[in-house]
Amino acid sequence: YSMSDDKNYCHINGGEAFIIGDVNEQMHAHFYEALSDGARTIMFSSPGGDVETALAIYDMINHIGNVTIVVNGLCASAGTLILQGASTRKATPSSQLLVHFGSESAESEAERKHNKNVEKYWLQLFQARTKASMRKVRKWHAGETFFNTQQALKEGLIDEVI
């Protein structure tokens, strides 16, 4: 079956799902539906979105385990973090990945501290999954770093180009 709204689309067919769109509450629901229905391979494309939602999806994928994500198109920002939660990370040959922090606004000292803690955790997740040095991971996130599939494979952001 399929579900969609203005910014997201999800189609589930047995053990596979196709999820595209912004990282938001709707995408979170799409991942939940797909994984609850037994999908373990997810074709995925996202321009990024909400950091906390990406962390929630990452945790869900990690908790369930044995999930393969196949990037098909652009996987950017928060989407690239979701990708790192998969047991197996693949990408189609013309896919692109973008790594950066995006922009988190903070109006109070508590929000600034929270954002700094989230940033630190985010870096640790990337470092643990890619096995890159923390210095290299910080450099990727210092600006906007794009990777084609061969670069992503070399740097440990994906496991295979299909």
Side-chain angles (χ1 to χ4, degrees):
Y1 63 89
S2 299
M3 303 173 281
S4 66
D5 65 11
D6 289 346
K7 301 238 179 205
N8 293 59
Y9 174 81
C10 176
H11 179 78
I12 303 168
N13 186 12
E16 296 185 351
F18 184 64
I19 300 175
I20 60 172
D22 294 344
V23 177
N24 58 23
E25 294 83 7
Q26 187 65 40
M27 178 175 281
H28 192 183
H30 289 331
F31 267 93
Y32 178 79
E33 289 294 325
L35 295 169
S36 294
D37 283 354
R40 292 300 177 265
T41 299
I42 299 173
M43 295 290 283
F44 181 62
S45 177
S46 176
D50 183 70
V51 172
E52 268 79 10
T53 303
L55 288 167
I57 296 169
Y58 174 98
D59 286 344
M60 182 175 19
I61 293 167
N62 224 354
H63 173 73
I64 289 171
N66 199 28
V67 175
T68 297
I69 293 180
V70 180
V71 176
N72 181 234
L74 176 66
C75 184
S77 189
T80 306
L81 176 70
I82 292 169
L83 171 66
Q84 299 312 305
S87 306
T88 305
R89 305 158 301 162
K90 300 179 181 183
T92 58
S94 61
S95 294
Q96 297 284 316
L97 277 68
L98 166 65
V99 175
H100 75 148
F101 279 128
S103 59
E104 291 288 322
S105 62
E107 296 180 12
S108 70
E109 186 57 36
E111 287 177 330
R112 281 188 283 284
K113 186 175 180 181
H114 170 73
N115 290 348
K116 201 69 172 157
N117 287 335
V118 169
E119 181 179 309
K120 182 179 176 183
Y121 182 59
W122 177 291
L123 289 171
Q124 290 169 344
L125 293 175
F126 270 89
Q127 194 277 325
R129 193 62 210 269
T130 64
K131 307 293 188 235
S133 70
M134 185 56 77
R135 181 177 182 196
K136 182 179 269 192
V137 172
R138 285 186 206 282
K139 185 178 177 185
W140 294 341
H141 287 83
E144 292 192 336
T145 306
F146 282 91
F147 298 86
N148 65 33
T149 52
Q150 291 305 315
Q151 293 165 325
L153 183 63
K154 179 182 174 218
E155 297 294 352
L157 291 162
I158 61 172
D159 304 306
E160 182 182 345
V161 178
I162 59 170

